[in-house]
């Protein structure tokens, strides 16, 4: 008999091995601590998303249970469902994407003080972090080495192998990762703020985009159109770079002062050496050097777009002009709340096409063709008929 058993003999006299004991305990607690939620999941990189049920944990003291009303479709959902980021973040199947969640609080755990049943709340890309590292202490949970993403991260509660996202009728999240959604914002159009909103707001703030700056936004998709709205609201002179001539009018309506068709080299050259900051929100391979050459001295270009393959950089473009090339991931919880409050004050939301969940595969195909104006928002009531 292993020593550990004898040591605890007065507490647990048993003839089963420690392993059997642990697995019995685990399966016992599974019955007590899970419920089933409806969801859409992908079972492989090539299979379409389809209806399923997934386990969600019952509330712990710190948890909030949310009935999901709307969930935006981010291009990251597609990259992840199709395992396009395999080398960096291999997908664990089945996967339930969705990290632009707006919903209504149904229940709260006994220690939850900040939310109550009926509140309209948001959940973005993060659902947990260690809370103690220097990044967390600075409110920059997006850099915490123990961050837990809304989908695809190991589930520390053991409810499932990995966390499952917002293409579902409900979710249970620690109160520290729940955001207040201003009541004047339409919930369907506010959902994309939880990723597309914060991912563009954060670098624009970080790089000091204000009145008097010339700012470029590359790619008028979900992220890009939010970038235009924020850069304009911060007072910058905004130039949109698009590959889609059909989006020219919209770019101006969304707040751009100028629009450049990026495949027209003459149009591009007119802006050489003139930008303080460029935000690149393109989801596919493209020539980054064309944009580096548009930066002024000390200008910066930040990638938020996360294409599958590496982008070659001609370093002389950086050296001449002391320009810099950076990246930026989502944003921390305090800044996400700041962004939502800013949106409440300035009445900013995403331009959305609301769809039932049954159209999610069609929506993915349209996203690959850059045919989204400018974010799909899934009406989760459509899951009821599944
Ligand atoms: P999206 O809605 O599909 O928009 C991407 C836009 O990129 C398209 O609308 C298109 O705009 C442009 N584009 C597409 N293919 C192109 C090509 N071959 N060459 C040039 N431009 C092209 O995607 P999204 O949801 O905004 O996401 C954009 C990227 O950001 C994705 O890679 C996503 O994974 C990533 N992302 C990163 C973070 C982060 O934390 N850094 C967070 C969220 C998403 P035009 O029609 O105007 O050319
Ligand atoms: Zn996203």
């Amino acid at each position: 008999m292993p020593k550990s058993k004898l040591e605890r003999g007065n507490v647990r006299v048993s003839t089963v091995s420690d392993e059997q004991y642990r697995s019995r305990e685990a399966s016992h607690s599974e019955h007590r601590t899970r419920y089933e939620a409806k969801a859409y999941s992908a079972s492989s990189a090539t299979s379409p998303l389809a209806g399923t049920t997934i386990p969600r944990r019952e509330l712990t003291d710190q948890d909030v249970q949310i009935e999901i009303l709307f969930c935006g479709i981010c291009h990251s959902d597609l990259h992840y469902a199709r395992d396009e980021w395999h080398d960096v973040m291999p997908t664990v199947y089945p996967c339930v994407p969705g990290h632009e969640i707006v919903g209504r609080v149904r229940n709260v755990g006994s220690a939850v003080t900040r939310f109550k049943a009926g509140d309209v709340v948001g959940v973005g890309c993060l659902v947990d972090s260690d809370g103690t590292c220097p990044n967390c202490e600075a409110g920059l949970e997006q850099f915490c080495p123990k961050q837990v993403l809304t989908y695809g991260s190991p589930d520390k509660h053991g409810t499932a192998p990995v966390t499952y996202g917002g293409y579902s009728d409900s979710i249970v999240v620690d109160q520290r990762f729940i955001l207040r959604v201003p009541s004047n914002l339409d919930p369907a159009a506010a959902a994309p703020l939880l990723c597309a909103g914060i991912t563009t707001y954060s670098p624009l703030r970080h790089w000091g985009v204000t009145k008097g700056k010339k700012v470029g936004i590359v790619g008028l998709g979900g992220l890009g159109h939010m970038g235009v709205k924020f850069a304009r609201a911060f007072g910058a002179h905004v130039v949109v770079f698009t590959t889609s001539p059909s989006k020219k009018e919209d770019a101006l309506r969304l707040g751009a002062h100028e629009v450049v068709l990026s495949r027209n080299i003459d149009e591009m050259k007119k802006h050489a050496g003139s930008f303080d900051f460029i935000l690149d929100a393109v989801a596919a391979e493209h020539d980054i050097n064309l944009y580096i050459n548009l930066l002024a001295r000390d200008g910066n270009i930040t990638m938020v777009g996360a294409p599958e393959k590496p982008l070659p950089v001609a370093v002389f473009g950086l050296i001449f002009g002391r320009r810099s090339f950076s990246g930026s991931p989502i944003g921390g919880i305090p800044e996400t709340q700041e962004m939502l409050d800013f949106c409440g004050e300035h009445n900013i939301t995403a331009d959305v096409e609301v769809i039932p969940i049954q159209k999610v595969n069609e929506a993915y195909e349209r996203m690959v063709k850059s045919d989204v104006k400018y974010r799909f928002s899934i009406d989760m009531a459509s899951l009821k008929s599944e």
Side-chain angles (χ1 to χ4, degrees):
M1 186 177 283
K3 190 164 174 257
S4 62
K5 269 204 183 136
L6 293 172
E7 278 170 354
R8 284 178 274 128
N10 57 341
V11 178
R12 174 165 64 90
V13 180
S14 164
T15 52
V16 298
S17 70
D18 274 358
E19 216 161 90
Q20 283 169 319
Y21 177 79
R22 271 196 298 274
S23 105
R24 267 193 209 171
E25 279 289 283
S27 79
H28 179 61
S29 65
E30 272 167 24
H31 292 299
R32 279 196 328 245
T33 59
R34 293 175 184 195
Y35 71 95
E36 282 201 336
K38 288 184 178 181
Y40 257 55
S41 74
S43 55
S44 79
T46 51
S47 51
L49 290 131
T52 185
T53 56
I54 52 166
R56 295 287 194 197
R57 66 178 183 270
E58 294 288 358
L59 294 184
T60 69
D61 291 355
Q62 296 292 339
D63 280 337
V64 174
Q65 185 193 37
I66 300 163
E67 174 197 356
I68 300 177
L69 300 175
F70 295 95
C71 184
I73 298 181
C74 178
H75 208 114
S76 303
D77 298 348
L78 184 155
H79 288 307
Y80 189 77
R82 298 184 178 179
D83 202 15
E84 290 178 354
W85 291 337
H86 184 85
D87 295 342
V88 186
M89 217 189 268
T91 304
V92 179
Y93 294 100
C95 81
V96 178
H99 55 207
E100 294 186 333
I101 299 167
V102 166
R104 198 182 305 282
V105 173
R106 278 281 161 234
N107 273 306
V108 298
S110 58
V112 172
T113 49
R114 295 172 50 233
F115 302 98
K116 57 178 188 330
D119 289 352
V120 176
V121 294
V123 176
C125 303
L126 296 168
V127 289
D128 210 346
S129 69
D130 66 20
T132 54
C133 72
N135 295 311
C136 288
E137 279 180 358
L140 298 170
E141 298 87 353
Q142 74 272 35
F143 302 111
C144 173
K146 293 186 183 154
Q147 64 173 222
V148 179
L149 296 171
T150 305
Y151 58 83
S153 280
D155 180 0
K156 76 173 191 190
H157 295 269
T159 316
V162 290
T163 50
Y164 293 140
Y167 296 3
S168 175
D169 57 3
S170 78
I171 192 165
V172 176
V173 178
D174 186 301
Q175 64 168 336
R176 292 181 301 130
F177 288 83
I178 294 179
L179 289 307
R180 291 179 302 278
V181 176
S183 57
N184 58 319
L185 302 182
D186 167 24
L193 300 176
L194 276 304
C195 176
I198 184 59
T199 303
T200 51
Y201 182 95
S202 183
L204 289 168
R205 282 289 196 219
H206 179 80
W207 289 96
V209 168
T210 49
K211 195 167 163 46
K213 304 278 181 180
K214 184 173 174 183
V215 171
I217 305 288
V218 188
L220 199 61
L223 266 59
H225 94 292
M226 289 312 308
V228 172
K229 292 187 185 201
F230 287 132
R232 180 67 190 246
F234 298 164
H237 180 85
V238 184
V239 182
V240 163
F241 295 92
T242 179
T243 59
S244 308
S246 65
K247 294 181 183 173
K248 234 176 155 172
E249 292 293 307
D250 282 346
L252 297 170
R253 176 182 59 78
L254 291 163
H257 296 90
E258 300 177 61
V259 188
V260 173
L261 293 176
S262 52
R263 292 198 171 123
N264 181 331
I265 294 300
D266 291 334
E267 269 194 61
M268 293 285 280
K269 278 188 183 156
K270 281 187 203 151
H271 292 271
S274 68
F275 282 89
D276 297 294
F277 179 72
I278 298 178
L279 188 69
D280 186 324
V282 173
E285 264 184 293
H286 60 293
D287 186 357
I288 195 74
N289 300 298
L290 291 175
Y291 296 98
I292 290 175
N293 290 328
L294 301 189
L295 292 171
R297 172 173 52 79
D298 292 324
N300 171 271
I301 177 164
T302 290
M303 286 301 305
V304 285
E308 188 177 352
K309 301 209 178 95
L311 301 174
V313 174
V315 293
F316 281 107
L318 297 173
I319 291 170
F320 299 145
R322 204 165 50 191
R323 297 149 166 161
S324 61
F325 179 38
S326 325
S328 184
I330 50 172
I333 296 300
E335 196 177 34
T336 305
Q337 189 61 61
E338 176 192 306
M339 178 273 308
L340 285 167
D341 294 344
F342 181 89
C343 288
E345 277 161 38
H346 295 82
N347 231 340
I348 294 175
T349 50
D351 284 29
V352 289
E353 182 175 337
V354 177
I355 57 163
I357 189 112
Q358 292 78 9
K359 290 214 163 155
V360 67
N361 295 304
E362 200 181 300
Y364 274 29
E365 289 315 311
R366 282 182 52 195
M367 196 153 59
V368 171
K369 293 185 206 141
S370 304
D371 175 25
V372 192
K373 292 186 171 174
Y374 281 86
R375 198 56 141 189
F376 289 114
S377 184
I378 306 169
D379 180 352
M380 235 24 104
S382 57
L383 253 186
K384 292 194 169 82
S385 63
E386 288 280 319

